[in-house]
Amino acid sequence: HAAAIGFEHIVIFTNGVMFTHPGFIESVTALGRFEWRISIQGATEEAHVATTGRAESFRRIVHGLAELQRGGQLVTANMCVNERSYRSLPHYPELIARYGVRQLHVDIVRPESTGERDEAYLRDIMPRYSDMAPYYDEMLAGFERTSPDFDINVGNLPYCVLPQWAVRIHHGGQETVTKSSDGEGLEDEMNKYAWQASLRAHLPSCSECVLRSRCTGIFRAYLDMYGGAEFQPLTAARLREIDPDRRNFVLLVEPQLAALRAALATGGLPPGWQATHIGSEERRRRIGIGLRHGSGESLELRFVPPETANAAVLESLDYAVEAEAGLGLPLPALAELLAWLRTQLSGGAEVELARDAVERALAPARLAKGRRRVLALTRRLHGGLSVPGWQLAGLHWPAADRAELRISGPGAAAIVVVFGVSLRHGRSQVSIDFRVDEGPPLERIRAVIDPIVRMLRAGKGEDAPLDSNGVSG
């Protein structure tokens, strides 16, 4: 019915009990492509079965995962970590990779939830957070090692238990209102995350913690059972010490941006400039600031860890600043803004402004101009090249500054046109090379290459120098 009335995104949240029933998965997937949110309550059969109490439950899950993977369905997963399952956490990277699961949310047992939960039950099912921490750490390190971009989230774990992975932990989410039903009908609506936060509390020492602003506390029922000795506030210095990979870069660099943020908030920019947006991407480890000049051109600033920076315009020991300016931005205005930025950031820290900062800020736009030139040249070839027995494929970009156009000929013959995009004296340049992977003698290859060269040279523009380098292979 949901598909029939036009819902575009339908999530099927299931424990997989029906997965092995003949024809069940096929009957559902015949209706469309859905997101299947599967409850995998342990990354091993032993842990999953110990949690569910159903001997066949894990086998049903993996059967369904395999069938959904073959059918091209979108699959995500969740787990509610408990005493019987937390030791299996390190096995998740392997399980998830095997079946192409796109996202995993790992939550912890909440003292207040569905069902009757007395203290004896909670002591049996809810482990100490500090006991679980090494297993969480091993799981997250495994994902980072094998699939660093995989979307893995840990819910409700106090940040100080696993501070080096704070960027993977969250308390709450988008505003979510639920309306449940029981045997008597619909219950009152409830703000899910506001309700969860109301069940937690902070210790007096939490006010000293660098992670306090994002933490909604510890479940009171947990504190009643285990006390608060395992929760210790963290200073910024201690967080840097235990996080050498700077996963918490956004959090750690914020104090050094305080003066800049204050200037942006009060309109203290150089004349002609205004801020358009400020945003943080914790998992990508960067802070972005957008500015617009009175000329109509924009400037994007990105604060990133120094080791990941590409042609930084400013740099300190703790961060680097990349910049991307519009080509029409007046050079004096750009130079003034970068000098002003260095002044705002130099409170107590040595910040170096690159000697060629203006050129570096303009380089991304100039390279983009070169990439557009490559696309135009490729369209020219697709529209006009005609050599019997040879066929052009689509353009492939193996790197930001290199594109390849494959031309297939008789048998296994192949010529690859290699476009290189670079800057020379501040101007974008497109270079051309030819790679012969396999094929007939050079004379016959030349019969293809020569008309290509003529067409490319006919499309050469004064603002984008084009060099033909030759044939390799």
Side-chain angles (χ1 to χ4, degrees):
H1 182 65
I5 64 176
F7 277 96
E8 296 178 359
H9 185 199
I10 300 172
V11 183
I12 302 172
F13 209 133
T14 177
N15 60 9
V17 168
M18 294 289 291
F19 279 165
T20 54
H21 285 230
F24 170 73
I25 291 178
E26 293 83 353
S27 68
V28 178
T29 57
L31 301 173
R33 186 172 186 268
F34 307 107
E35 177 182 344
W36 296 74
R37 185 75 165 175
I38 300 176
S39 296
I40 307 177
Q41 298 302 334
T44 64
E45 182 171 11
E46 178 185 10
H48 183 89
V49 170
T51 301
T52 64
R54 299 290 186 270
E56 299 297 318
S57 56
F58 189 76
R59 296 174 193 173
R60 286 195 292 257
I61 290 286
V62 296
H63 172 83
L65 290 172
E67 290 297 312
L68 294 171
Q69 184 181 37
R70 276 193 287 272
Q73 296 285 306
L74 172 63
V75 178
T76 62
N78 80 293
M79 174 188 184
C80 185
V81 184
N82 61 76
E83 173 62 36
R84 296 172 177 80
S85 63
Y86 75 83
R87 297 168 187 85
S88 74
L89 286 170
H91 296 280
Y92 262 112
E94 178 187 356
L95 178 68
I96 291 300
R98 187 185 310 148
Y99 295 106
V101 177
R102 304 290 186 86
Q103 192 265 349
L104 173 66
H105 177 75
V106 178
D107 213 331
I108 57 174
V109 171
R110 292 191 296 274
E112 288 88 352
S113 190
T114 303
E116 297 296 328
R117 300 187 172 197
D118 57 21
E119 183 175 339
Y121 172 82
L122 288 177
R123 285 190 178 279
D124 178 58
I125 202 72
M126 190 165 64
R128 285 181 178 271
Y129 298 147
S130 52
D131 289 343
M132 294 189 288
Y135 297 89
Y136 273 111
D137 183 60
E138 188 176 347
M139 175 190 70
L140 292 167
F143 276 117
E144 188 169 89
R145 184 171 56 253
T146 61
S147 183
D149 293 327
F150 182 75
D151 188 7
I152 165 72
N153 304 284
V154 175
N156 293 307
L157 190 70
Y159 291 98
C160 58
V161 173
L162 207 64
Q164 67 271 33
W165 293 104
V167 294
R168 294 291 181 184
I169 300 171
H170 64 83
H171 294 189
Q174 290 182 323
E175 183 177 357
T176 304
V177 176
T178 64
K179 198 170 183 65
S180 303
S181 63
D182 57 19
E184 299 178 358
L186 289 175
E187 299 177 347
D188 292 338
E189 64 183 38
M190 179 184 67
N191 186 310
K192 175 181 177 180
Y193 295 118
W195 172 72
Q196 290 181 9
S198 72
L199 304 176
R200 293 194 278 256
H202 290 95
L203 300 172
S205 59
C206 291
S207 61
E208 306 167 16
C209 186
V210 70
L211 297 164
R212 174 63 177 85
S213 62
R214 65 184 62 191
C215 181
T216 58
I218 310 149
F219 286 112
R220 293 186 185 88
Y222 182 96
L223 292 172
D224 290 341
M225 283 197 302
Y226 296 121
E230 62 190 311
F231 308 109
Q232 298 297 322
L234 271 89
T235 63
R238 176 58 180 157
L239 185 56
R240 287 192 186 92
E241 181 182 336
I242 63 177
D243 184 19
D245 296 325
R246 305 197 216 210
R247 298 186 187 101
N248 292 288
F249 168 77
V250 168
L251 177 68
L252 292 170
V253 80
E254 274 295 346
Q256 299 176 54
L257 306 188
L260 174 60
R261 283 189 178 273
L264 294 174
T266 58
L269 285 157
W273 288 95
Q274 64 176 356
T276 57
H277 64 271
I278 304 175
S280 299
E281 297 178 82
E282 288 193 341
R283 296 192 178 184
R284 298 182 71 180
R285 299 194 300 166
R286 69 184 191 183
I287 298 173
I289 298 177
L291 303 169
R292 182 169 294 278
H293 186 254
S295 62
E297 293 286 354
S298 61
L299 173 67
E300 184 75 21
L301 302 172
R302 289 183 293 272
F303 289 78
V304 298
E307 63 271 19
T308 69
N310 182 22
V313 295
L314 292 101
E315 193 163 11
S316 75
L317 288 175
D318 296 317
Y319 61 84
V321 183
E322 299 173 339
E324 187 169 341
L327 283 176
L329 190 61
L331 299 188
L334 176 55
E336 181 184 15
L337 188 282
L338 294 175
W340 172 86
L341 179 63
R342 179 181 182 275
T343 300
Q344 299 301 313
L345 296 171
S346 294
E350 189 62 34
V351 180
E352 297 293 333
L353 178 63
R355 185 170 298 179
D356 58 347
V358 170
E359 290 299 312
R360 292 188 182 202
L362 293 169
R366 287 171 174 162
L367 283 175
K369 192 173 183 179
R371 289 193 289 269
R372 290 194 296 272
R373 188 70 180 150
V374 169
L375 294 174
L377 292 170
T378 303
R379 287 194 295 269
R380 179 180 289 270
L381 291 178
H382 273 281
L385 183 66
S386 178
V387 180
W390 293 82
Q391 186 173 4
L392 281 75
L395 190 68
H396 170 59
W397 290 88
D401 60 352
R402 190 175 83 256
E404 297 181 355
L405 177 65
R406 187 177 182 85
I407 307 174
S408 302
I415 299 170
V416 180
V417 184
V418 182
F419 298 91
V421 181
S422 60
L423 294 177
R424 179 182 293 178
H425 306 305
R427 300 175 62 196
S428 63
Q429 173 176 285
V430 175
S431 63
I432 308 293
D433 198 359
F434 297 90
R435 188 177 73 242
V436 179
D437 289 347
E438 184 180 349
L442 185 59
E443 295 75 21
R444 294 183 61 186
I445 295 294
R446 280 288 184 188
V448 181
I449 290 178
D450 286 347
I452 293 176
V453 171
R454 286 194 296 271
M455 292 186 68
L456 293 176
R457 288 195 179 282
K460 178 179 176 180
E462 292 301 321
D463 62 339
L466 184 151
D467 292 338
S468 178
N469 296 327
V471 178
S472 61

